Amino acid sequence: MNVFFLLTSLHLFAFSNLPPHIIHSDNDVLISASALRSHVDFLASDKLEGRMSGTEGERAAGDYIAKWFKDHGLKPAGPNGSYFQEFPITYGGEAGPECELTFTTSTAKKVTAEPNKDFNPVYGSVEKTPVEAEVVFVGEGRVSENRDDYEGLDVKGKIVMLFPAAPGDRFNNNSRSRIAKEKGAVGMIFAGPIEEDSYPLMRVTRTRSISRDAGLVAVAITANLFEKVSGLKYKEARKTAASGYVPRGFAKGLKAKIKVDIQQRKITARNVMAMLPGNDPKLKNQYIIIGAHYDHVGWGDIGALDAAEKIHNGADDNASGTSTVLELARVFAQTKDNRRTLVFQLYSGEELGLVGSFYFTKNPTIDLNAVHCMINLDMVGNLTDDKLELDGLATSTAWEDIVSQLTNGFKIAKNGGPRGDSDHYAFAAAGIPVLFFHTGLHERYHRATDDAPALNYEGMAKVGNLVAKYIRAVDKQEELLPFKKGEQVTKRKPPSKESPTGETTRRVRVGLIPDYTNNEPGVLLAGVSANSPAEKAGLKAGDRIVQWGTKKINSIEDLQEIFETAEPGKPVKVKIVRNGKEIEITITPEAIDLINTDSTKAA
Ligand SMILES: [Zn+2]
């Protein structure tokens, strides 16, 4: 994200009346229910295993999307002429090199377990500090009004061995760890998979974690290893434990030594993006982004609302939005009636917290200052009684007019917003007007039952065709949509088009991420972009820029003015306040190549 995509001037902006014929009448290129169904059938098939970010299923979905764009003649809009924008996500973990688990039986026999095969560390465990103690079996480790699995057992200073909670069990592993701590245990060993027929080992993810506050050392072992060290039959023992009976005197004299080391797992996810150049010589340098996320929650690792560890196909969430964006791309590739350049984007990492869309707004491949608006579709496959939710209306003074003229038989629920639960939020946070289409939550949401046959494809087609009308309506506006936040309306200025030589505009890139919530003099940084001149110069979050060259900086507008005329590659001395002290730093702004919509070259 560069600094000049937000806040040009703060004049209140009276929006002009809309042109009279806002509804595109000559539209025979439409989105059909059957076309949408064929996309959803692929994206929400078991083969893609729920499209979890960074998995093979997500890759396959991304490839499908990119091929669709290519086949319909859309140009790549990712970095380096690619349809893909890769980004890292830290998600879950795996056993690190210091992991250790050794049992000593009552007959002094040693059993050494192998990490990743016989055992895993458990998220939330104390790390790198080993414990060695006697093992006490506590069944499911439940304590409630009418049940106490610890009754008659002394676990003080000992390691409890117990069965893990199934997903959805209210008495989850967190609760189990808190009870173990209360009873005086120093460690935990979870035995076997979380459910029959699921993974043989509890996986190292946050959703399988124990409470960090418990301060316990915890590992998970396989059913095999459990049988080896306990002398019990796993299935039988688990059944008995479920009924609340804990066999006394289990594995007497069994000791364990545990050391935990968890390495964060880094995965690479991909946003997929393509563009369709506009047909207006002046406005084609502006963009309308049409987006949706295409990732989902895989095997229910995160965010699943049901108990089952099953494939979560995410047909409505969000194969529906993805398919509609693909069809919108096809429609406009055929009609080519867009004045502005349309950028179609499918994000990954949404389910992990809008990671892909925020990555894009912080590492944009187009000038965000020239983005007219962002239109987001997330869960549009469950149209019921023609009820449609529109969110983000509070982000521009333009939306009310457009929306009131385009109801098209829908019962529209208008939200000011933006809500923080889908990708449009990242764009609103970047100062871009957003509009979000959604057909509402339902009982299949984030459950394994969100499957392709349940969707209302006629309804989806209706929504898709309505969105096409919105795109045309907003494209009819002459001025860049003003951005509204609270009561503050910001009229945005389109970037200047051509240099005198007719080359593509070159702008400086510094990579500042300002903290817009701060009103003290200077510009406070919320962060800096990776590999940017700002990062290279050593700027970081918390720094306040107070002078740039010879100019005092009072606000972000001061910086913007400088950047409009700054020369790329020319070092400049910058004064910042860090920890209350003023220091000087030298920054060399870089030139930024914006994507040139006249050629196939993308930058
Ligand atoms: Zn979701």
Side-chain angles (χ1 to χ4, degrees):
M1 177 159 86
N2 66 52
V3 71
F4 48 69
F5 75 95
L6 192 63
L7 294 178
T8 49
S9 61
L10 303 173
H11 305 293
L12 277 182
F13 178 59
F15 202 74
S16 57
N17 285 330
L18 293 171
H21 303 293
I22 191 160
I23 297 168
H24 195 88
S25 54
D26 176 31
N27 177 17
D28 48 13
V29 183
L30 288 172
I31 295 172
S32 73
S34 61
L36 292 168
R37 183 189 289 262
S38 77
H39 293 306
V40 174
D41 278 345
F42 173 73
L43 293 167
S45 62
D46 281 355
K47 208 180 125 198
L48 267 57
E49 293 186 273
R51 308 183 305 280
M52 175 73 191
S53 295
T55 63
E56 272 174 48
E58 181 243 40
R59 297 297 280 191
D63 289 346
Y64 176 89
I65 293 162
K67 182 175 187 303
W68 180 265
F69 286 149
K70 196 169 180 218
D71 289 351
H72 288 83
L74 279 84
K75 294 177 180 177
N80 308 316
S82 162
Y83 288 103
F84 301 107
Q85 179 179 48
E86 293 193 339
F87 59 93
I89 302 183
T90 303
Y91 170 66
E94 53 204 359
E98 289 184 47
C99 269
E100 232 181 275
L101 174 63
T102 314
F103 289 100
T104 312
T105 67
S106 55
T107 56
K109 205 179 115 200
K110 276 205 192 307
V111 179
T112 303
E114 213 182 296
N116 279 323
K117 189 173 154 258
D118 308 313
F119 81 101
N120 260 341
V122 173
Y123 239 92
S125 166
V126 166
E127 292 185 57
K128 315 245 165 137
T129 309
V131 297
E132 190 163 8
E134 199 180 315
V135 179
V136 180
F137 182 59
V138 297
E140 292 188 338
R142 280 178 204 268
V143 173
S144 64
E145 260 174 47
N146 41 22
R147 176 170 165 180
D148 183 357
D149 290 357
Y150 285 84
E151 204 185 330
L153 296 171
D154 176 16
V155 301
K156 275 203 187 69
K158 296 175 183 166
I159 294 167
V160 295
M161 188 183 277
L162 72 171
F163 297 118
D169 188 338
R170 279 166 168 265
F171 200 80
N172 59 21
N173 295 331
N174 260 311
S175 317
R176 290 173 200 215
S177 67
R178 273 186 232 113
I179 294 289
K181 177 68 177 179
E182 257 176 61
K183 301 283 181 185
V186 293
M188 300 181 87
I189 298 172
F190 289 97
I194 57 170
E195 270 186 325
E196 246 185 277
D197 303 328
S198 66
Y199 289 92
L201 254 181
M202 231 168 85
R203 284 173 295 166
V204 193
T205 74
R206 267 175 227 285
T207 45
R208 313 275 179 264
S209 67
I210 62 163
S211 164
R212 211 169 270 285
D213 297 339
L216 295 171
V217 173
V219 290
I221 63 172
T222 59
N224 270 342
L225 185 55
F226 170 83
E227 292 197 340
K228 211 165 161 185
V229 296
S230 71
L232 295 178
K233 286 271 163 256
Y234 174 77
K235 275 194 179 169
E236 259 171 51
R238 193 150 183 177
K239 215 187 249 170
T240 316
S243 72
Y245 176 74
V246 178
R248 310 292 151 197
F250 145 88
K252 254 206 141 75
L254 181 71
K255 282 189 181 143
K257 186 183 175 196
I258 310 174
K259 192 176 174 190
V260 163
D261 176 17
I262 297 174
Q263 287 198 324
Q264 300 289 323
R265 187 153 34 113
K266 289 190 169 55
I267 57 176
T268 300
R270 303 188 299 181
N271 292 330
V272 194
M273 50 191 81
M275 65 163 68
L276 191 67
N279 61 27
D280 182 300
K282 211 171 115 230
L283 294 178
K284 71 180 177 191
N285 291 311
Q286 296 180 15
Y287 307 96
I288 296 172
I289 296 177
I290 301 133
H293 77 90
Y294 74 99
D295 65 307
H296 195 52
V297 301
W299 281 77
D301 278 23
I302 39 120
L305 295 178
D306 49 6
E309 198 166 64
K310 286 180 184 154
I311 295 177
H312 287 61
N313 280 321
D316 192 23
D317 185 11
N318 185 26
S320 66
T322 302
S323 306
T324 310
V325 170
L326 293 183
E327 282 302 300
L328 285 165
R330 178 190 57 78
V331 165
F332 283 99
Q334 280 174 263
T335 61
K336 291 194 172 64
D337 57 345
N338 50 303
R339 305 201 296 165
R340 291 176 177 81
T341 294
L342 303 182
V343 182
F344 298 92
Q345 301 191 325
L346 285 314
Y347 314 103
S348 188
E350 193 268 355
E351 301 286 5
L352 294 167
L354 315 183
V355 185
S357 45
F358 268 104
Y359 187 84
F360 174 77
T361 59
K362 288 178 180 166
N363 303 274
T365 54
I366 53 176
D367 186 351
L368 292 185
N369 205 31
V371 177
H372 195 44
C373 65
M374 188 272 179
I375 291 173
N376 186 28
L377 289 83
D378 192 352
M379 298 180 68
V380 291
N382 198 51
L383 189 70
T384 311
D385 303 328
D386 292 324
K387 277 187 234 150
L388 184 62
E389 288 179 31
L390 292 186
D391 182 61
L393 271 73
T395 60
S396 185
T397 44
W399 289 132
E400 273 293 341
D401 269 355
I402 296 176
V403 171
S404 66
Q405 295 190 40
L406 277 177
T407 49
N408 284 58
F410 284 93
K411 289 171 204 136
I412 291 182
K414 298 186 228 172
N415 302 319
R419 315 190 328 194
D421 58 356
S422 192
D423 295 299
H424 58 299
Y425 186 76
F427 289 85
I432 295 167
V434 299
L435 191 61
F436 173 52
F437 291 80
H438 178 56
T439 53
L441 292 181
H442 45 75
E443 72 287 349
R444 300 184 307 280
Y445 170 69
H446 276 219
R447 290 186 170 85
T449 46
D450 185 8
D451 277 323
L455 300 195
N456 173 0
Y457 292 97
E458 295 295 337
M460 257 171 91
K462 223 175 131 179
V463 173
N465 289 312
L466 181 72
V467 176
K469 290 188 173 127
Y470 272 86
I471 294 166
R472 292 186 175 110
V474 79
D475 194 22
K476 281 214 165 70
Q477 311 279 324
E478 294 302 326
E479 309 272 348
L480 265 184
L481 288 197
F483 178 66
K484 187 163 173 262
K485 188 176 184 186
E487 289 310 304
Q488 203 172 68
V489 180
T490 306
K491 185 181 174 185
R492 301 181 311 139
K493 204 164 56 177
S496 54
K497 295 275 143 25
E498 244 94 35
S499 69
T501 57
E503 279 175 57
T504 311
T505 310
R506 273 172 189 269
R507 294 178 156 269
V508 293
R509 171 177 180 262
V510 177
L512 306 175
I513 303 173
D515 181 345
Y516 293 108
T517 59
N518 191 280
N519 294 319
E520 285 171 56
V523 171
L524 181 70
L525 297 185
V528 295
S529 302
N531 299 319
S532 66
E535 192 192 63
K536 287 173 199 158
L539 279 179
K540 48 191 186 189
D543 290 347
R544 183 188 301 279
I545 298 173
V546 292
Q547 188 166 333
W548 193 279
T550 53
K551 195 167 182 326
K552 286 249 175 292
I553 302 300
N554 281 310
S555 66
I556 214 150
E557 288 80 4
D558 293 341
L559 268 185
Q560 181 177 3
E561 235 180 86
I562 291 172
F563 290 174
E564 275 169 6
T565 51
E567 263 181 70
K570 193 174 166 196
V572 52
K573 289 204 190 326
V574 172
K575 278 197 186 126
I576 60 164
V577 178
R578 178 179 292 169
N579 302 326
K581 265 202 230 147
E582 199 172 282
I583 54 174
E584 198 174 71
I585 259 175
T586 301
I587 299 179
T588 310
E590 278 172 5
I592 179 170
D593 258 333
L594 301 178
I595 289 176
N596 182 350
T597 54
D598 291 329
S599 73
T600 51
K601 178 184 155 278

